Structure formats: C-alpha cells, structure tokens
Amino acid sequence: MTARIVVLASGNGSNFQALVDASEAGTLDASVVGLVCNRSDAFALERASVKGVPTTVLTPEPGEPRPTYDARLAAVVGAMAPDLIVLAGWMRLLSMPFLGRFPHRVINLHPALPGQFPGTHAIEHALDAAVLGEIDHTGVMVHFVPDDGVDDGPAIATAIVPIEPGDTIDTLSERVHAVERTLLVSALRETISDAPWRAGPGSS
Ligand code: GAR
C-alpha cells in the first residue's frame, strides 16, 4: 500500500523536494499528499506548486497559545488522512494536542546526532564545538516524535557527518544537507516497509 505522506515545513523545503522526487521516481512507495507551512514565505510552497502538491499555509495568530494552534494544525493535517507526517524543517515545537492525534505517525529530521544540539542552529553549534576541539564529527538523525521533547524520540536512522579542518558553516551545512536528503528517504523507505502506523488507531 502506497503510504500517504503529509510534510510540515517552514522554509527552503529541499527535504520535501527529496521526498516528492523519490515518490515520483518510484524509489519510495509513497505519495506526498500535502504540504503544510506555518509561514507564507516558505520556499517549500513554490516547490510544491511546481510539483502540483496541495499546500496549506497555517499562520499562528498573534498571541495564539501553542495548544490552540496545534489543534488547528491537527484538524488540517487529519483531513488529509496521512499515514505518516514528516517534519522536514518544521521550526515550531509541537505539543500533545497535535502529537496525541497521530501516534506512531510523526517523523522528524534533525541535523545532529541523538542527544546532541537539539533545537535551532544545530550545524552552527556543531561547528563551534569542532573549533573548540570538542568533536570531529556531527551527524543527522530521523526519529519518531512520540511527545513534546525537542529533537528527541526513538531513532529510525542516523548518519555520521565528518567535520573537516577549515570547514565553514557553508561547507559543513552543504555536507550535512546532502546526507539528510538521502537518509530521510531511506529511513522512510524502512518505516513504510515496517508499517508501524497500521497498528495505530488511525489518522482521522
Ligand atoms: C534541515 O537541515 C533539517 O534537518 C532542519 O531544518 C533544515 C530544513 O531544510 N531541521 C531542524 O533543525 C529541526 N530542529 P529544508 O527546508 O531545505 O528541508
């Protein structure tokens, strides 16, 4: 059964693009049935338009409590009947009014290894640590999001990314992003073949 994937993204959308490309190429048994962005200026929206993927922009209201926004988000995403929801550069924390509705179905991509550099600017933090001589590599992980922990949850796949002497934020970011696009697709391929969400209570 082809998996229905909904992607949540806030920015560039290169990983959204990788999922759409792999689905179209038949290397991932999936269909990206929707893209939801929390920002109307997210470049991911333009990528979706080119590919004909339906989009929704859901901007938080000024002062809107997180659980209220997340309940609205859950309604929008639930209407798309996703098998899996992929956070691909989704730069908002999600709370239980969203996550509780989609157990075993929410997957996050993060540009660091488990337990290292959660939150924003993970690649910058890794480069800073390398300059201090504390680390010589960083990495990428794809993991389930069972609760409101930040870039935390059971790992599906990880990959190490070396930090080279003389790396700048641009060279390291490029190396990390190249690994991310491959790892995200392969992790989803594994998840879809294992199909853990089919044991769950459903998405609607
Ligand atoms: C990726 O590097 C992803 O790992 C990161 O945002 C970038 C999105 O790139 N996510 C996080 O940092 C989550 N904490 P993209 O918009 O080109 O897919």
mmCIF file of all heavy atoms in Angstrom, residues 8-54:
data_model
loop_
_atom_site.group_PDB
_atom_site.id
_atom_site.type_symbol
_atom_site.label_atom_id
_atom_site.label_comp_id
_atom_site.label_asym_id
_atom_site.label_seq_id
_atom_site.Cartn_x
_atom_site.Cartn_y
_atom_site.Cartn_z
ATOM 1 N N LEU A 8 5.339 18.757 6.846
ATOM 2 C CA LEU A 8 5.265 20.064 7.502
ATOM 3 C C LEU A 8 6.630 20.729 7.345
ATOM 4 O O LEU A 8 7.662 20.110 7.681
ATOM 5 C CB LEU A 8 4.937 19.908 8.992
ATOM 6 C CG LEU A 8 3.453 19.807 9.395
ATOM 7 C CD1 LEU A 8 2.720 18.723 8.650
ATOM 8 C CD2 LEU A 8 3.325 19.618 10.901
ATOM 9 N N ALA A 9 6.661 21.943 6.831
ATOM 10 C CA ALA A 9 7.929 22.625 6.584
ATOM 11 C C ALA A 9 7.762 24.115 6.850
ATOM 12 O O ALA A 9 6.659 24.664 6.712
ATOM 13 C CB ALA A 9 8.392 22.390 5.145
ATOM 14 N N SER A 10 8.877 24.753 7.200
ATOM 15 C CA SER A 10 8.856 26.189 7.497
ATOM 16 C C SER A 10 9.692 27.014 6.532
ATOM 17 O O SER A 10 9.609 28.242 6.560
ATOM 18 C CB SER A 10 9.397 26.447 8.914
ATOM 19 O OG SER A 10 8.660 25.743 9.879
ATOM 20 N N GLY A 11 10.541 26.352 5.710
ATOM 21 C CA GLY A 11 11.499 27.155 4.948
ATOM 22 C C GLY A 11 11.772 26.644 3.562
ATOM 23 O O GLY A 11 10.863 26.464 2.744
ATOM 24 N N ASN A 12 13.031 26.342 3.323
ATOM 25 C CA ASN A 12 13.534 26.045 1.977
ATOM 26 C C ASN A 12 12.843 24.852 1.309
ATOM 27 O O ASN A 12 12.490 24.889 0.132
ATOM 28 C CB ASN A 12 15.049 25.805 2.096
ATOM 29 C CG ASN A 12 15.680 25.442 0.779
ATOM 30 O OD1 ASN A 12 15.215 25.842 -0.280
ATOM 31 N ND2 ASN A 12 16.750 24.669 0.829
ATOM 32 N N GLY A 13 12.682 23.775 2.045
ATOM 33 C CA GLY A 13 11.938 22.636 1.506
ATOM 34 C C GLY A 13 12.747 21.677 0.660
ATOM 35 O O GLY A 13 12.174 20.896 -0.107
ATOM 36 N N SER A 14 14.074 21.660 0.819
ATOM 37 C CA SER A 14 14.861 20.719 -0.003
ATOM 38 C C SER A 14 14.551 19.264 0.376
ATOM 39 O O SER A 14 14.591 18.381 -0.486
ATOM 40 C CB SER A 14 16.358 20.997 0.118
ATOM 41 O OG SER A 14 16.819 20.736 1.413
ATOM 42 N N ASN A 15 14.221 19.023 1.624
ATOM 43 C CA ASN A 15 13.889 17.652 2.023
ATOM 44 C C ASN A 15 12.472 17.267 1.596
ATOM 45 O O ASN A 15 12.228 16.108 1.244
ATOM 46 C CB ASN A 15 14.096 17.480 3.530
ATOM 47 C CG ASN A 15 15.569 17.556 3.866
ATOM 48 O OD1 ASN A 15 16.302 16.607 3.623
ATOM 49 N ND2 ASN A 15 16.017 18.688 4.385
ATOM 50 N N PHE A 16 11.581 18.216 1.606
ATOM 51 C CA PHE A 16 10.249 17.997 0.992
ATOM 52 C C PHE A 16 10.441 17.594 -0.471
ATOM 53 O O PHE A 16 9.843 16.626 -0.946
ATOM 54 C CB PHE A 16 9.427 19.281 1.114
ATOM 55 C CG PHE A 16 8.277 19.362 0.163
ATOM 56 C CD1 PHE A 16 7.111 18.640 0.378
ATOM 57 C CD2 PHE A 16 8.355 20.167 -0.970
ATOM 58 C CE1 PHE A 16 6.050 18.709 -0.513
ATOM 59 C CE2 PHE A 16 7.303 20.245 -1.866
ATOM 60 C CZ PHE A 16 6.145 19.521 -1.639
ATOM 61 N N GLN A 17 11.292 18.331 -1.153
ATOM 62 C CA GLN A 17 11.559 18.047 -2.572
ATOM 63 C C GLN A 17 12.116 16.634 -2.748
ATOM 64 O O GLN A 17 11.729 15.908 -3.668
ATOM 65 C CB GLN A 17 12.573 19.069 -3.095
ATOM 66 C CG GLN A 17 12.973 18.883 -4.538
ATOM 67 C CD GLN A 17 12.123 19.713 -5.477
ATOM 68 O OE1 GLN A 17 11.933 20.894 -5.245
ATOM 69 N NE2 GLN A 17 11.625 19.098 -6.507
ATOM 70 N N ALA A 18 13.023 16.247 -1.860
ATOM 71 C CA ALA A 18 13.623 14.909 -1.964
ATOM 72 C C ALA A 18 12.548 13.832 -1.829
ATOM 73 O O ALA A 18 12.586 12.815 -2.532
ATOM 74 C CB ALA A 18 14.702 14.735 -0.890
ATOM 75 N N LEU A 19 11.580 14.052 -0.943
ATOM 76 C CA LEU A 19 10.503 13.063 -0.766
ATOM 77 C C LEU A 19 9.596 13.005 -1.988
ATOM 78 O O LEU A 19 9.200 11.923 -2.435
ATOM 79 C CB LEU A 19 9.683 13.407 0.476
ATOM 80 C CG LEU A 19 10.411 13.242 1.808
ATOM 81 C CD1 LEU A 19 9.512 13.640 2.960
ATOM 82 C CD2 LEU A 19 10.896 11.806 1.983
ATOM 83 N N VAL A 20 9.279 14.157 -2.537
ATOM 84 C CA VAL A 20 8.430 14.178 -3.739
ATOM 85 C C VAL A 20 9.162 13.504 -4.897
ATOM 86 O O VAL A 20 8.593 12.679 -5.615
ATOM 87 C CB VAL A 20 8.049 15.629 -4.106
ATOM 88 C CG1 VAL A 20 7.310 15.658 -5.446
ATOM 89 C CG2 VAL A 20 7.197 16.253 -3.018
ATOM 90 N N ASP A 21 10.447 13.827 -5.061
ATOM 91 C CA ASP A 21 11.221 13.256 -6.168
ATOM 92 C C ASP A 21 11.311 11.731 -6.039
ATOM 93 O O ASP A 21 11.142 11.005 -7.020
ATOM 94 C CB ASP A 21 12.626 13.860 -6.214
ATOM 95 C CG ASP A 21 12.628 15.317 -6.656
ATOM 96 O OD1 ASP A 21 11.581 15.791 -7.147
ATOM 97 O OD2 ASP A 21 13.672 15.984 -6.497
ATOM 98 N N ALA A 22 11.569 11.249 -4.830
ATOM 99 C CA ALA A 22 11.693 9.798 -4.630
ATOM 100 C C ALA A 22 10.355 9.098 -4.851
ATOM 101 O O ALA A 22 10.294 8.008 -5.415
ATOM 102 C CB ALA A 22 12.224 9.505 -3.224
ATOM 103 N N SER A 23 9.279 9.760 -4.448
ATOM 104 C CA SER A 23 7.946 9.171 -4.660
ATOM 105 C C SER A 23 7.645 9.102 -6.149
ATOM 106 O O SER A 23 7.160 8.082 -6.651
ATOM 107 C CB SER A 23 6.881 10.009 -3.948
ATOM 108 O OG SER A 23 7.156 10.075 -2.573
ATOM 109 N N GLU A 24 7.958 10.182 -6.852
ATOM 110 C CA GLU A 24 7.703 10.206 -8.303
ATOM 111 C C GLU A 24 8.559 9.179 -9.034
ATOM 112 O O GLU A 24 8.113 8.546 -9.991
ATOM 113 C CB GLU A 24 8.017 11.603 -8.860
ATOM 114 C CG GLU A 24 6.938 12.620 -8.596
ATOM 115 C CD GLU A 24 7.237 13.957 -9.259
ATOM 116 O OE1 GLU A 24 8.324 14.113 -9.880
ATOM 117 O OE2 GLU A 24 6.396 14.844 -9.153
ATOM 118 N N ALA A 25 9.788 9.023 -8.573
ATOM 119 C CA ALA A 25 10.717 8.093 -9.230
ATOM 120 C C ALA A 25 10.396 6.637 -8.902
ATOM 121 O O ALA A 25 10.942 5.726 -9.516
ATOM 122 C CB ALA A 25 12.148 8.414 -8.821
ATOM 123 N N GLY A 26 9.544 6.435 -7.910
ATOM 124 C CA GLY A 26 9.187 5.069 -7.521
ATOM 125 C C GLY A 26 10.209 4.421 -6.607
ATOM 126 O O GLY A 26 10.126 3.223 -6.332
ATOM 127 N N THR A 27 11.165 5.210 -6.103
ATOM 128 C CA THR A 27 12.138 4.646 -5.170
ATOM 129 C C THR A 27 11.621 4.694 -3.724
ATOM 130 O O THR A 27 12.246 4.167 -2.816
ATOM 131 C CB THR A 27 13.484 5.392 -5.257
ATOM 132 O OG1 THR A 27 13.256 6.784 -5.046
ATOM 133 C CG2 THR A 27 14.120 5.195 -6.623
ATOM 134 N N LEU A 28 10.489 5.348 -3.533
ATOM 135 C CA LEU A 28 9.818 5.376 -2.232
ATOM 136 C C LEU A 28 8.344 5.082 -2.500
ATOM 137 O O LEU A 28 7.721 5.762 -3.337
ATOM 138 C CB LEU A 28 9.982 6.771 -1.602
ATOM 139 C CG LEU A 28 9.435 6.966 -0.195
ATOM 140 C CD1 LEU A 28 10.212 6.103 0.797
ATOM 141 C CD2 LEU A 28 9.531 8.442 0.219
ATOM 142 N N ASP A 29 7.819 4.079 -1.803
ATOM 143 C CA ASP A 29 6.427 3.683 -2.043
ATOM 144 C C ASP A 29 5.505 4.625 -1.271
ATOM 145 O O ASP A 29 4.927 4.261 -0.244
ATOM 146 C CB ASP A 29 6.240 2.221 -1.606
ATOM 147 C CG ASP A 29 4.842 1.716 -1.945
ATOM 148 O OD1 ASP A 29 4.127 2.383 -2.709
ATOM 149 O OD2 ASP A 29 4.484 0.640 -1.431
ATOM 150 N N ALA A 30 5.440 5.850 -1.767
ATOM 151 C CA ALA A 30 4.714 6.892 -1.040
ATOM 152 C C ALA A 30 4.140 7.908 -2.016
ATOM 153 O O ALA A 30 4.582 8.002 -3.166
ATOM 154 C CB ALA A 30 5.648 7.599 -0.065
ATOM 155 N N SER A 31 3.178 8.639 -1.510
ATOM 156 C CA SER A 31 2.653 9.780 -2.255
ATOM 157 C C SER A 31 2.603 10.956 -1.288
ATOM 158 O O SER A 31 2.045 10.836 -0.189
ATOM 159 C CB SER A 31 1.246 9.437 -2.763
ATOM 160 O OG SER A 31 0.663 10.574 -3.337
ATOM 161 N N VAL A 32 3.230 12.065 -1.673
ATOM 162 C CA VAL A 32 3.192 13.253 -0.812
ATOM 163 C C VAL A 32 1.878 13.972 -1.122
ATOM 164 O O VAL A 32 1.729 14.592 -2.180
ATOM 165 C CB VAL A 32 4.416 14.153 -1.050
ATOM 166 C CG1 VAL A 32 4.335 15.391 -0.146
ATOM 167 C CG2 VAL A 32 5.711 13.379 -0.775
ATOM 168 N N VAL A 33 0.924 13.840 -0.212
ATOM 169 C CA VAL A 33 -0.446 14.293 -0.493
ATOM 170 C C VAL A 33 -0.704 15.714 -0.010
ATOM 171 O O VAL A 33 -1.768 16.264 -0.296
ATOM 172 C CB VAL A 33 -1.489 13.336 0.122
ATOM 173 C CG1 VAL A 33 -1.372 11.956 -0.513
ATOM 174 C CG2 VAL A 33 -1.345 13.249 1.640
ATOM 175 N N GLY A 34 0.245 16.291 0.698
ATOM 176 C CA GLY A 34 0.039 17.659 1.137
ATOM 177 C C GLY A 34 1.273 18.232 1.793
ATOM 178 O O GLY A 34 2.118 17.498 2.307
ATOM 179 N N LEU A 35 1.375 19.558 1.709
ATOM 180 C CA LEU A 35 2.433 20.305 2.395
ATOM 181 C C LEU A 35 1.750 21.370 3.245
ATOM 182 O O LEU A 35 0.892 22.115 2.742
ATOM 183 C CB LEU A 35 3.357 20.987 1.380
ATOM 184 C CG LEU A 35 4.353 21.994 1.965
ATOM 185 C CD1 LEU A 35 5.478 21.281 2.714
ATOM 186 C CD2 LEU A 35 4.945 22.885 0.872
ATOM 187 N N VAL A 36 2.121 21.441 4.507
ATOM 188 C CA VAL A 36 1.604 22.492 5.386
ATOM 189 C C VAL A 36 2.779 23.334 5.849
ATOM 190 O O VAL A 36 3.804 22.795 6.312
ATOM 191 C CB VAL A 36 0.862 21.916 6.609
ATOM 192 C CG1 VAL A 36 0.305 23.044 7.474
ATOM 193 C CG2 VAL A 36 -0.264 20.984 6.163
ATOM 194 N N CYS A 37 2.657 24.655 5.702
ATOM 195 C CA CYS A 37 3.703 25.589 6.147
ATOM 196 C C CYS A 37 3.107 26.547 7.168
ATOM 197 O O CYS A 37 1.951 26.953 7.047
ATOM 198 C CB CYS A 37 4.243 26.392 4.966
ATOM 199 S SG CYS A 37 5.140 25.385 3.754
ATOM 200 N N ASN A 38 3.923 26.924 8.135
ATOM 201 C CA ASN A 38 3.487 27.910 9.117
ATOM 202 C C ASN A 38 3.855 29.322 8.701
ATOM 203 O O ASN A 38 3.548 30.277 9.399
ATOM 204 C CB ASN A 38 4.083 27.597 10.496
ATOM 205 C CG ASN A 38 5.603 27.616 10.494
ATOM 206 O OD1 ASN A 38 6.226 27.100 9.564
ATOM 207 N ND2 ASN A 38 6.196 28.216 11.512
ATOM 208 N N ARG A 39 4.551 29.431 7.546
ATOM 209 C CA ARG A 39 4.970 30.754 7.033
ATOM 210 C C ARG A 39 4.582 30.843 5.561
ATOM 211 O O ARG A 39 4.859 29.924 4.789
ATOM 212 C CB ARG A 39 6.486 30.929 7.139
ATOM 213 C CG ARG A 39 7.054 30.791 8.534
ATOM 214 C CD ARG A 39 8.576 30.800 8.428
ATOM 215 N NE ARG A 39 9.021 31.984 7.725
ATOM 216 C CZ ARG A 39 9.696 32.984 8.271
ATOM 217 N NH1 ARG A 39 10.054 32.908 9.540
ATOM 218 N NH2 ARG A 39 10.053 34.034 7.576
ATOM 219 N N SER A 40 4.025 31.989 5.193
ATOM 220 C CA SER A 40 3.595 32.146 3.803
ATOM 221 C C SER A 40 4.764 32.387 2.862
ATOM 222 O O SER A 40 4.613 32.290 1.645
ATOM 223 C CB SER A 40 2.593 33.294 3.697
ATOM 224 O OG SER A 40 3.193 34.486 4.144
ATOM 225 N N ASP A 41 5.953 32.721 3.417
ATOM 226 C CA ASP A 41 7.113 32.979 2.556
ATOM 227 C C ASP A 41 8.035 31.761 2.445
ATOM 228 O O ASP A 41 9.145 31.867 1.927
ATOM 229 C CB ASP A 41 7.909 34.190 3.066
ATOM 230 C CG ASP A 41 8.453 33.990 4.484
ATOM 231 O OD1 ASP A 41 8.094 32.968 5.136
ATOM 232 O OD2 ASP A 41 9.230 34.847 4.946
ATOM 233 N N ALA A 42 7.569 30.606 2.913
ATOM 234 C CA ALA A 42 8.417 29.400 2.840
ATOM 235 C C ALA A 42 8.635 29.010 1.378
ATOM 236 O O ALA A 42 7.657 28.845 0.625
ATOM 237 C CB ALA A 42 7.766 28.254 3.606
ATOM 238 N N PHE A 43 9.880 28.845 0.979
ATOM 239 C CA PHE A 43 10.176 28.478 -0.416
ATOM 240 C C PHE A 43 9.620 27.094 -0.750
ATOM 241 O O PHE A 43 9.340 26.786 -1.917
ATOM 242 C CB PHE A 43 11.692 28.536 -0.680
ATOM 243 C CG PHE A 43 12.046 28.300 -2.117
ATOM 244 C CD1 PHE A 43 11.674 29.214 -3.097
ATOM 245 C CD2 PHE A 43 12.739 27.163 -2.512
ATOM 246 C CE1 PHE A 43 11.981 29.000 -4.430
ATOM 247 C CE2 PHE A 43 13.054 26.932 -3.842
ATOM 248 C CZ PHE A 43 12.675 27.857 -4.807
ATOM 249 N N ALA A 44 9.415 26.276 0.266
ATOM 250 C CA ALA A 44 8.804 24.954 0.051
ATOM 251 C C ALA A 44 7.479 25.076 -0.696
ATOM 252 O O ALA A 44 7.117 24.199 -1.484
ATOM 253 C CB ALA A 44 8.594 24.258 1.398
ATOM 254 N N LEU A 45 6.754 26.165 -0.488
ATOM 255 C CA LEU A 45 5.460 26.353 -1.157
ATOM 256 C C LEU A 45 5.640 26.451 -2.667
ATOM 257 O O LEU A 45 4.822 25.940 -3.431
ATOM 258 C CB LEU A 45 4.768 27.611 -0.615
ATOM 259 C CG LEU A 45 4.311 27.516 0.849
ATOM 260 C CD1 LEU A 45 3.990 28.897 1.403
ATOM 261 C CD2 LEU A 45 3.088 26.591 0.967
ATOM 262 N N GLU A 46 6.713 27.116 -3.091
ATOM 263 C CA GLU A 46 6.970 27.231 -4.536
ATOM 264 C C GLU A 46 7.339 25.872 -5.114
ATOM 265 O O GLU A 46 6.928 25.517 -6.224
ATOM 266 C CB GLU A 46 8.075 28.258 -4.794
ATOM 267 C CG GLU A 46 7.633 29.651 -4.413
ATOM 268 C CD GLU A 46 8.626 30.728 -4.791
ATOM 269 O OE1 GLU A 46 9.302 30.597 -5.836
ATOM 270 O OE2 GLU A 46 8.731 31.692 -4.020
ATOM 271 N N ARG A 47 8.132 25.114 -4.367
ATOM 272 C CA ARG A 47 8.477 23.759 -4.830
ATOM 273 C C ARG A 47 7.207 22.917 -4.998
ATOM 274 O O ARG A 47 7.063 22.159 -5.958
ATOM 275 C CB ARG A 47 9.403 23.084 -3.823
ATOM 276 C CG ARG A 47 10.769 23.758 -3.636
ATOM 277 C CD ARG A 47 11.533 22.988 -2.570
ATOM 278 N NE ARG A 47 12.788 23.600 -2.173
ATOM 279 C CZ ARG A 47 13.973 23.345 -2.734
ATOM 280 N NH1 ARG A 47 14.052 22.514 -3.746
ATOM 281 N NH2 ARG A 47 15.063 23.917 -2.288
ATOM 282 N N ALA A 48 6.282 23.044 -4.029
ATOM 283 C CA ALA A 48 5.048 22.261 -4.085
ATOM 284 C C ALA A 48 4.200 22.672 -5.280
ATOM 285 O O ALA A 48 3.588 21.827 -5.951
ATOM 286 C CB ALA A 48 4.264 22.443 -2.789
ATOM 287 N N SER A 49 4.178 23.963 -5.547
ATOM 288 C CA SER A 49 3.401 24.456 -6.677
ATOM 289 C C SER A 49 3.914 23.856 -7.985
ATOM 290 O O SER A 49 3.133 23.404 -8.829
ATOM 291 C CB SER A 49 3.486 25.987 -6.670
ATOM 292 O OG SER A 49 3.046 26.492 -7.880
ATOM 293 N N VAL A 50 5.236 23.812 -8.146
ATOM 294 C CA VAL A 50 5.837 23.232 -9.354
ATOM 295 C C VAL A 50 5.452 21.756 -9.484
ATOM 296 O O VAL A 50 5.180 21.260 -10.587
ATOM 297 C CB VAL A 50 7.377 23.393 -9.311
ATOM 298 C CG1 VAL A 50 8.040 22.583 -10.421
ATOM 299 C CG2 VAL A 50 7.757 24.865 -9.406
ATOM 300 N N LYS A 51 5.404 21.064 -8.362
ATOM 301 C CA LYS A 51 5.149 19.616 -8.370
ATOM 302 C C LYS A 51 3.660 19.272 -8.277
ATOM 303 O O LYS A 51 3.284 18.098 -8.284
ATOM 304 C CB LYS A 51 5.894 18.954 -7.204
ATOM 305 C CG LYS A 51 7.402 18.937 -7.381
ATOM 306 C CD LYS A 51 7.775 18.001 -8.521
ATOM 307 C CE LYS A 51 9.268 17.808 -8.635
ATOM 308 N NZ LYS A 51 9.590 16.831 -9.707
ATOM 309 N N GLY A 52 2.812 20.282 -8.098
ATOM 310 C CA GLY A 52 1.384 20.010 -8.011
ATOM 311 C C GLY A 52 0.952 19.371 -6.707
ATOM 312 O O GLY A 52 -0.072 18.687 -6.657
ATOM 313 N N VAL A 53 1.714 19.606 -5.650
ATOM 314 C CA VAL A 53 1.328 19.083 -4.324
ATOM 315 C C VAL A 53 0.446 20.128 -3.633
ATOM 316 O O VAL A 53 0.827 21.310 -3.549
ATOM 317 C CB VAL A 53 2.586 18.801 -3.462
ATOM 318 C CG1 VAL A 53 2.181 18.365 -2.052
ATOM 319 C CG2 VAL A 53 3.456 17.741 -4.120
ATOM 320 N N PRO A 54 -0.734 19.738 -3.149
ATOM 321 C CA PRO A 54 -1.613 20.696 -2.465
ATOM 322 C C PRO A 54 -0.934 21.300 -1.223
ATOM 323 O O PRO A 54 -0.251 20.576 -0.482
ATOM 324 C CB PRO A 54 -2.826 19.849 -2.055
ATOM 325 C CG PRO A 54 -2.789 18.648 -2.935
ATOM 326 C CD PRO A 54 -1.337 18.394 -3.238
#
